[in-house]
Amino acid sequence: MDNIHMVTLAIIIVNVITSFKGFSNNTFFERYKFEVGAINLGQKDRMLSSGFLHVDTSHLFFNMLTLYFFADVVILGFGPFTFLIIYLVSLLAGSLLALFFHKNEPSYSAVGASGAVTGILYAAILLRPDMDLFLYFIPIPIPAYILGIGYLLYSIYGMKNKVGNIGHTAHFGGAIGGYITTLIFNPDLVFTSTLMVFLLAIPIVILFIMEKMGKI
């Protein structure tokens, strides 16, 4: 990791320190996790702080490893300051979407950097749609945009059917945050990567159509 950018390293360090504090101090974890009831009572800081807490070391490791793999694409495309903005906007967008969909579930809670990391992943795909990704159980390269679209479609399925103990809503919100923020900072992508912009918008449109129809 000798070539890791300082802003990526800083984010990883903050996540590690905050998460390990939460592992060893349940009072700290409970106070700063995302919880709808507490947020509705005024503890809005949870919408940000929850993105730096994790359930366990494997949860933390997977999120930070994913961030490490895709951070440089966004940093090279925009610079470290804009990368940080996209990261934080994606984190908050994940929390906002989770609050929107679970506003009537006061006990709903979640933690993790997944929303922020998914936003960075979506930004990286928009900037480098030619990227190929390898999954350990599939021995052939997969176009990044296929994985991105498939992941969000699975997230819709997970939100609808409450699959696993996973914050599918935050993942989706993070992707929306990364998608919109990337286009704000580089609107030329609408013209230079029109097809990719359209394809990546499909799951987002499907989600809100389903919500309007009461299907999710």
Side-chain angles (χ1 to χ4, degrees), residues 160 207-216:
K160 181 175 173 58
L207 174 69
F208 285 102
I209 289 175
M210 291 181 67
E211 193 277 330
K212 286 296 183 183
M213 296 174 63
K215 300 293 185 181
I216 194 169

Side-chain angles (χ1 to χ4, degrees), residues 41-68:
L41 289 174
Q43 294 179 356
K44 307 298 184 186
D45 58 320
R46 291 173 180 262
M47 298 182 71
L48 179 65
S49 62
S50 59
F52 295 94
L53 290 168
H54 289 81
V55 173
D56 51 35
T57 53
S58 61
H59 184 207
L60 172 65
F61 176 77
F62 179 77
N63 274 336
M64 295 303 98
L65 184 65
T66 305
L67 176 67
Y68 171 69

Side-chain angles (χ1 to χ4, degrees), residues 49-96:
S49 62
S50 59
F52 295 94
L53 290 168
H54 289 81
V55 173
D56 51 35
T57 53
S58 61
H59 184 207
L60 172 65
F61 176 77
F62 179 77
N63 274 336
M64 295 303 98
L65 184 65
T66 305
L67 176 67
Y68 171 69
F69 281 135
F70 293 101
D72 276 355
V73 176
V74 183
I75 292 171
L76 288 172
F78 287 125
F81 182 70
T82 300
F83 162 82
L84 183 59
I85 291 174
I86 293 173
Y87 183 91
L88 293 174
V89 167
S90 298
L91 191 164
L92 291 173
S95 292
L96 285 168

Side-chain angles (χ1 to χ4, degrees), residues 2-140:
D2 57 333
N3 64 338
I4 188 171
H5 195 282
M6 287 301 296
V7 70
T8 309
L9 182 60
I11 289 173
I12 290 174
I13 289 172
V14 173
N15 270 279
V16 169
I17 291 174
T18 308
S19 294
F20 272 84
K21 173 73 171 178
F23 297 157
S24 62
N25 186 331
N26 190 59
T27 301
F28 178 86
F29 183 87
E30 290 295 323
R31 169 58 184 85
Y32 291 106
K33 72 180 182 180
F34 180 96
E35 186 175 78
V36 171
I39 292 170
N40 286 338
L41 289 174
Q43 294 179 356
K44 307 298 184 186
D45 58 320
R46 291 173 180 262
M47 298 182 71
L48 179 65
S49 62
S50 59
F52 295 94
L53 290 168
H54 289 81
V55 173
D56 51 35
T57 53
S58 61
H59 184 207
L60 172 65
F61 176 77
F62 179 77
N63 274 336
M64 295 303 98
L65 184 65
T66 305
L67 176 67
Y68 171 69
F69 281 135
F70 293 101
D72 276 355
V73 176
V74 183
I75 292 171
L76 288 172
F78 287 125
F81 182 70
T82 300
F83 162 82
L84 183 59
I85 291 174
I86 293 173
Y87 183 91
L88 293 174
V89 167
S90 298
L91 191 164
L92 291 173
S95 292
L96 285 168
L97 195 69
L99 188 63
F100 174 75
F101 274 97
H102 300 283
K103 57 183 176 291
N104 297 319
E105 302 171 48
S107 62
Y108 179 87
S109 63
V111 293
S114 302
V117 172
T118 306
I120 294 299
L121 170 62
Y122 238 50
I125 293 172
L126 279 169
L127 293 170
R128 285 282 311 280
D130 58 323
M131 282 192 305
D132 286 330
L133 304 177
F134 287 87
L135 301 180
Y136 71 92
F137 51 86
I138 301 178
I140 57 174

